[in-house]
């Protein structure tokens, strides 16, 4: 059972203030009234309550409300009044019940200095608390932004891919081909994964691989025998369920390969290799590219693009990944190495 952050803070405060309020009773002699020097222990308990008022009034009222460019002067005035009243109140308690302690000059340093100390501590505490809350808000905003990007990604499936797939299914239906049923199942699984299975934060790696297989299978159906696609998956069965991955993280690389690796080429080739090595995913996608002299067309609706994929990887995995993209000997190659969790 996970304890929430507010309860941890509450427990911490209770422990600290209990120690402050009862400190003299832990270390002083009962025979002297738990006195520390010439000041009895009960006064330190009263002083502790005054310090608590200073701490919480400044940390939760004055500093959040008035410490800004418009009302800084009001914060200074209120702070002086808060600390000043504490000094007056302490002196009144000493004068009323512990007047003998006022004869000792050291008393004034011991009694009055802590008001300023606790006031300063309350400012530091408030700043730390604001920083923690600011980081939590940033994380929440980042999570919301990633969820929005994922929804956008799901809506960005290439419409040409869907139209061509449906056209191929119609052709198979007319031929009464045995390939129609498995193709329909693949398309159904692909759409189900996109629309429903990716609602959670992360999905088992096996589901992401199944989605890739369905996409590749439908693309092969579309291009028939005009393209050579090799797919190699080296993954232990238990690893597919054990490791989790952000949904639809790998598909842009495969989509990009089919987009650019099938145009202006006599013999298109695409090679896809996925493996898991000691908790690290290695995903390599290669496709033949047209010579520089060939005209290439750019489809703006082909997906979110590799630039956005890099951004998504930065947001999701920080420094836990490595992405290399390059061209070599007529091949366009993308390699993603990702630490799995």
């Amino acid at each position: 059972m996970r304890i929430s952050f507010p309860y941890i803070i509450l427990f911490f405060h209770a422990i600290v203030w209990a120690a402050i309020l009862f400190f003299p009773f832990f270390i002083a002699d009962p025979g002297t009234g738990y006195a520390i020097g010439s000041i009895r222990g009960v006064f330190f308990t009263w002083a502790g309550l005054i310090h608590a008022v200073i701490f919480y009034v400044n940390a939760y009222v004055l500093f959040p409300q008035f410490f800004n460019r418009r009302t800084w002067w009001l914060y200074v005035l209120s702070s002086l009044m808060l600390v000043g009243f504490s000094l007056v109140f302490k002196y009144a308690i000493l004068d009323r019940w512990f007047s003998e302690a006022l004869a000792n000059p050291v008393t004034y340093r011991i009694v009055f200095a802590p008001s300023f100390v606790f006031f300063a501590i309350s400012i530091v505490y408030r700043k730390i608390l604001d920083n923690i809350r600011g980081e939590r808000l940033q994380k929440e905003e980042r999570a919301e932004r990633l969820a929005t990007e994922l929804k956008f990604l799901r809506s960005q499936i290439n419409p040409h891919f869907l139209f061509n797939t449906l056209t191929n299914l119609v052709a198979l239906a007319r031929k009464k081909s045995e390939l129609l049923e498995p193709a329909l199942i693949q398309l159904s699984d692909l759409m189900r994964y996109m629309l429903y299975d990716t609602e959670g934060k992360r999905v088992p790696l096996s589901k992401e691989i199944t989605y890739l297989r369905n996409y590749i299978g439908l693309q092969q159906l579309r291009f028939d025998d005009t393209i050579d696609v090799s797919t190699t998956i080296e993954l232990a069965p238990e690893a597919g369920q054990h490791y989790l991955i952000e949904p639809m993280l790998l598909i842009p690389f495969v989509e990009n390969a089919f987009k650019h690796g099938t145009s202006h080429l006599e013999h298109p080739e695409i090679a896809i290799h996925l493996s898991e090595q000691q908790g690290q995913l290695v995903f390599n996608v290669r496709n033949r590219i047209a010579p520089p002299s060939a005209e290439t067309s750019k489809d703006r609706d082909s997906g979110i693009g590799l630039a956005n994929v890099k951004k998504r990887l930065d947001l999701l995995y920080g420094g836990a990944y490595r992405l290399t993209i390059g061209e070599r000997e007529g091949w366009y190659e993308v390699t993603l190495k990702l630490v799995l969790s």
Side-chain angles (χ1 to χ4, degrees):
M1 179 175 153
R2 187 177 178 181
I3 302 176
S4 63
F5 181 73
Y7 287 107
I8 295 176
I9 292 294
L10 184 63
F11 178 76
F12 174 76
H13 281 233
I15 294 295
V16 170
W17 286 110
I20 292 173
L21 293 175
F22 296 104
F23 176 72
F25 303 99
F26 294 143
I27 65 170
D29 184 5
T32 62
Y34 299 97
I36 298 178
S38 60
I39 307 174
R40 295 185 184 180
V42 67
F43 173 80
F44 288 101
T45 300
W46 279 103
L49 293 174
I50 296 172
H51 298 154
V53 172
I54 294 174
F55 180 89
Y56 289 109
V57 169
N58 183 59
Y60 288 95
V61 180
L62 299 184
F63 194 90
Q65 294 292 330
F66 304 121
F67 190 78
N68 54 64
R69 291 183 179 181
R70 285 193 307 110
T71 59
W72 63 268
W73 60 271
L74 190 57
Y75 174 71
V76 173
L77 180 61
S78 302
S79 299
L80 290 175
M81 292 176 61
L82 177 66
V83 175
F85 281 138
S86 74
L87 300 180
V88 171
F89 196 42
K90 286 181 181 179
Y91 184 86
I93 294 174
L94 284 174
D95 187 53
R96 177 67 177 83
W97 288 288
F98 312 102
S99 57
E100 68 278 3
L102 292 175
N104 188 348
V106 180
T107 299
Y108 294 91
R109 292 197 297 270
I110 296 175
V111 169
F112 298 132
S115 290
F116 298 96
V117 173
F118 277 91
F119 180 81
I121 291 174
S122 70
I123 294 177
V124 175
Y125 169 80
R126 183 72 242 183
K127 296 292 289 185
I128 294 174
L129 198 63
D130 288 344
N131 289 337
I132 293 174
R133 289 180 176 175
E135 290 177 1
R136 291 178 65 188
L137 285 175
Q138 287 182 355
K139 289 181 180 180
E140 291 175 0
E141 290 175 358
R142 179 182 297 180
E144 184 177 352
R145 185 166 63 250
L146 291 177
T148 302
E149 288 188 5
L150 180 55
K151 291 179 181 178
F152 173 74
L153 178 61
R154 288 203 298 263
S155 69
Q156 285 293 300
I157 184 170
N158 192 339
H160 298 299
F161 164 72
L162 285 178
F163 293 149
N164 289 323
T165 300
L166 292 173
T167 301
N168 291 333
L169 293 178
V170 171
L172 292 176
R174 288 174 177 172
K175 295 177 182 179
K176 297 183 179 180
S177 172
E178 294 180 354
L179 297 176
L180 177 60
E181 182 178 348
L184 284 171
I185 293 174
Q186 283 182 324
L187 181 60
S188 174
D189 290 343
L190 183 145
M191 299 301 294
R192 183 183 298 109
Y193 179 79
M194 288 178 55
L195 297 175
Y196 302 111
D197 292 348
T198 58
E199 291 295 334
K201 291 184 178 180
R202 294 192 176 185
V203 297
L205 180 58
S206 59
K207 282 193 173 185
E208 184 77 358
I209 292 174
T210 300
Y211 174 71
L212 290 177
R213 289 186 185 275
N214 288 331
Y215 180 87
I216 294 168
L218 290 172
Q219 285 284 25
Q220 287 179 300
L221 179 65
R222 169 189 170 189
F223 290 102
D224 200 9
D225 295 329
T226 62
I227 183 172
D228 181 13
V229 181
S230 64
T231 304
T232 305
I233 307 292
E234 297 178 358
L235 189 70
E238 62 275 9
Q241 294 297 325
H242 174 71
Y243 292 114
L244 300 179
I245 190 172
E246 291 293 331
M248 301 186 68
L249 189 67
L250 307 179
I251 188 61
F253 304 113
V254 179
E255 184 186 43
N256 189 70
F258 275 98
K259 171 192 171 186
H260 296 288
T262 57
S263 302
H264 307 284
L265 288 171
E266 294 183 3
H267 303 289
E269 293 181 68
I270 296 176
I272 301 169
H273 184 273
L274 184 149
S275 64
E276 180 268 325
Q277 303 172 5
Q278 298 180 344
Q280 184 181 60
L281 174 73
V282 180
F283 187 58
N284 178 267
V285 181
R286 303 166 66 235
N287 63 270
R288 288 281 186 185
I289 54 177
S293 59
E295 295 182 0
T296 58
S297 61
K298 293 185 179 180
D299 182 2
R300 291 183 301 175
D301 299 323
S302 63
I304 64 170
L306 295 184
N308 284 343
V309 176
K310 293 178 184 177
K311 178 183 176 183
R312 190 166 179 239
L313 282 167
D314 286 335
L315 291 172
L316 292 168
Y317 290 97
Y321 82 94
R322 182 181 178 185
L323 179 66
T324 56
I325 302 174
E327 297 181 9
R328 184 177 58 180
E329 298 178 355
W331 286 86
Y332 185 86
E333 185 172 1
V334 176
T335 301
L336 173 65
K337 294 183 179 180
L338 181 70
V339 177
L340 295 168
S341 58

